[in-house]
Amino acid sequence: MGPLDSVRVIEIASLAPAPFGCMILSDLGAEVLRVDRAGSCGPDAVARADPLSRGRASIGIDLKQADGVALLLRLAESADVLVEGFRPGVAERLGFGPQVCAERNPALVFARMTGWGQDGPLAATAGHDIDYIAVSGALHPIGRAGERPVPPLNLVGDFGGGGMLLALGVLAALVERERSGLGQVVDAAMVDGSALLTSFLYGLRAAGAWQDTRGVNLLDGGAPFYDTYQTADGGHVAVGALEPRFYAELLAGLGLADADLPGQNDRAGWPVLRERFASVFAERSRDEWAEVFADTDGCVAPVLSMAEAPGHAYNTARGVFTDVGGLVQPAPAPRFSRSDTGPPAAPPRPGADTDAVLAGLGLSAAEIKQLRARSVVG
């Protein structure tokens, strides 16, 4: 049983950030019930091959029907958390906003996942990860000198600044509820979360150790000892030898310990260092360099593809990846000394648990059949 055992979560089905946050809660032991659209729960519906959907039960409800909203509110009466990812005001228009839910269950944590947040001049407008991190300032520093910013997939907005922030907010609200006995609204916005992720850079900038110019700084590829290099086989290695003693081991591994090179922190000499490093790394394959730097503090690692990473010796030894329903994917994290989360369950077929959930609310088989006939449930 994970550390969130007995915590009951209702997740209104959505895309990317909120499912990721609910996946984390489920991985940590929470009982997560996903409310799918009734129309997606027909006899031909199949389970999604999606790690973000793992560990759930699923019920199909049409939330555009009053009877469907009434069912959701009955579920909320015994839940600890409700998570929704609509634009601001949509849940209220449908009839299950935070105030309505609080009247049914004052202890309910109502978690809202959006890009722009619940208020502000952009709150009602559409956007995606790249827009949120552009406005938050998180996108601008990412990229090579003299080139345009590079989208870091959708990891910074949707997941790091979105779903992870949502899960943290839910946990904080649950802890506070232990003192007050009351739930509250968690307003998790990707623009807020992605800005929060840049806090360290603001500290460096204030200290004069970071420039707004892209690709010339210590951690953005500007430093030759914190960058990636191509190897003889077309692969790449990642180098992160920041500290002087690690840098010394990097030079030793490259056979450059006695070379007449500029000093590590001589910025004027960085182009010379980069050229020498690139030339030497190009002499051997990626895996040969991994062997050279194995068991050293040279801070050199092979750049693995998503296909390769699950089979890497370190990842297999630690169990970083797992197989869920035949799909290899990242395992739950973090680890706990006593509260073993166990392997996550495979994603459910949409609506697979509808009858069981409704029966748990006290509805008879005839009542469930009637709701299904009116397409209130799927």
Side-chain angles (χ1 to χ4, degrees), residues 273-293:
L273 291 177
R274 188 181 306 281
E275 183 179 359
R276 292 295 301 276
F277 292 172
S279 176
V280 175
F281 275 121
E283 294 174 357
R284 301 187 189 186
S285 70
R286 183 196 67 179
D287 292 345
E288 286 174 328
W289 282 118
E291 183 64 26
V292 167
F293 285 98

Side-chain angles (χ1 to χ4, degrees), residues 47-48 50 53-57 324-326 329 343-349:
R48 302 169 181 147
D50 176 15
S53 297
R54 70 192 187 193
R56 317 282 213 281
V324 180
Q329 57 196 265
R349 177 176 58 81

Side-chain angles (χ1 to χ4, degrees), residues 232-259:
D233 58 345
H236 295 85
V237 292
V239 177
L242 291 171
E243 292 81 0
R245 66 187 184 91
F246 301 155
Y247 181 72
E249 294 210 31
L250 169 65
L251 294 183
L254 291 174
L256 297 175
D258 298 322

Side-chain angles (χ1 to χ4, degrees), residues 190-341:
M190 286 174 259
V191 68
D192 298 347
S194 59
L196 189 64
L197 293 175
T198 68
S199 299
F200 176 66
L201 300 184
Y202 276 89
L204 291 178
R205 190 172 181 272
W210 191 271
Q211 302 178 46
D212 281 342
T213 303
R214 183 179 312 111
V216 300
N217 297 286
L218 188 65
L219 302 174
D220 62 1
F225 45 87
Y226 197 89
D227 206 347
T228 59
Y229 291 92
Q230 188 167 348
T231 54
D233 58 345
H236 295 85
V237 292
V239 177
L242 291 171
E243 292 81 0
R245 66 187 184 91
F246 301 155
Y247 181 72
E249 294 210 31
L250 169 65
L251 294 183
L254 291 174
L256 297 175
D258 298 322
D260 185 17
L261 296 175
Q264 178 183 6
N265 296 313
D266 176 9
R267 285 179 174 261
W270 280 4
V272 175
L273 291 177
R274 188 181 306 281
E275 183 179 359
R276 292 295 301 276
F277 292 172
S279 176
V280 175
F281 275 121
E283 294 174 357
R284 301 187 189 186
S285 70
R286 183 196 67 179
D287 292 345
E288 286 174 328
W289 282 118
E291 183 64 26
V292 167
F293 285 98
D295 301 320
T296 77
D297 286 336
C299 300
V300 175
V303 177
L304 303 176
S305 69
M306 291 176 62
E308 294 175 304
H312 188 268
Y314 172 84
N315 293 332
T316 57
R318 185 164 167 81
V320 176
F321 293 86
T322 188
D323 184 303
V324 180
L327 177 63
V328 175
Q329 57 196 265
R335 319 289 175 90
F336 297 88
S337 62
R338 291 186 296 102
S339 303
D340 183 15
T341 57

Side-chain angles (χ1 to χ4, degrees), residues 7-368:
V7 173
R8 304 182 68 184
V9 179
I10 299 173
E11 172 195 4
I12 309 300
S14 60
L15 299 175
F20 178 62
C22 289
M23 182 200 78
I24 294 172
L25 299 176
S26 174
D27 285 350
L28 298 182
E31 176 188 329
V32 180
L33 173 64
R34 187 180 67 209
V35 178
D36 283 303
R37 291 178 298 171
S40 69
C41 302
D44 297 327
V46 296
R48 302 169 181 147
D50 176 15
L52 302 187
S53 297
R54 70 192 187 193
R56 317 282 213 281
S58 171
I59 181 173
I61 302 179
D62 184 356
L63 295 177
K64 293 183 178 180
Q65 295 195 47
D67 285 347
V69 173
L71 286 176
L72 177 63
L73 292 175
R74 287 183 64 178
L75 291 169
E77 290 175 0
S78 59
D80 297 290
V81 182
L82 187 147
V83 176
E84 58 95 352
F86 295 119
R87 291 198 201 188
V90 171
E92 285 85 347
R93 290 197 296 273
L94 290 172
F96 65 93
Q99 184 174 350
V100 173
C101 287
E103 291 171 356
R104 297 289 192 100
N105 180 0
L108 182 72
V109 173
F110 196 106
R112 320 193 82 165
M113 182 76 260
T114 61
W116 302 116
Q118 296 299 310
D119 51 33
L122 294 174
T125 63
H128 282 293
D129 173 291
I130 195 170
D131 306 303
Y132 311 134
I133 69 174
V135 171
S136 73
L139 176 59
H140 181 273
I142 303 173
R144 292 293 182 181
E147 299 182 9
R148 61 188 180 182
V150 176
L153 306 181
N154 61 331
L155 299 178
V156 175
D158 279 349
F159 300 112
M164 190 76 76
L165 185 74
L166 174 80
L168 177 62
V170 166
L171 297 179
L174 289 174
V175 170
E176 191 280 336
R177 191 180 69 175
E178 292 298 309
R179 298 193 298 271
S180 68
L182 297 173
Q184 59 183 304
V185 176
V186 176
D187 176 4
M190 286 174 259
V191 68
D192 298 347
S194 59
L196 189 64
L197 293 175
T198 68
S199 299
F200 176 66
L201 300 184
Y202 276 89
L204 291 178
R205 190 172 181 272
W210 191 271
Q211 302 178 46
D212 281 342
T213 303
R214 183 179 312 111
V216 300
N217 297 286
L218 188 65
L219 302 174
D220 62 1
F225 45 87
Y226 197 89
D227 206 347
T228 59
Y229 291 92
Q230 188 167 348
T231 54
D233 58 345
H236 295 85
V237 292
V239 177
L242 291 171
E243 292 81 0
R245 66 187 184 91
F246 301 155
Y247 181 72
E249 294 210 31
L250 169 65
L251 294 183
L254 291 174
L256 297 175
D258 298 322
D260 185 17
L261 296 175
Q264 178 183 6
N265 296 313
D266 176 9
R267 285 179 174 261
W270 280 4
V272 175
L273 291 177
R274 188 181 306 281
E275 183 179 359
R276 292 295 301 276
F277 292 172
S279 176
V280 175
F281 275 121
E283 294 174 357
R284 301 187 189 186
S285 70
R286 183 196 67 179
D287 292 345
E288 286 174 328
W289 282 118
E291 183 64 26
V292 167
F293 285 98
D295 301 320
T296 77
D297 286 336
C299 300
V300 175
V303 177
L304 303 176
S305 69
M306 291 176 62
E308 294 175 304
H312 188 268
Y314 172 84
N315 293 332
T316 57
R318 185 164 167 81
V320 176
F321 293 86
T322 188
D323 184 303
V324 180
L327 177 63
V328 175
Q329 57 196 265
R335 319 289 175 90
F336 297 88
S337 62
R338 291 186 296 102
S339 303
D340 183 15
T341 57
R349 177 176 58 81
D353 306 286
T354 298
D355 287 6
V357 172
L358 294 180
L361 288 177
L363 276 69
S364 67
E367 289 173 313
I368 296 172

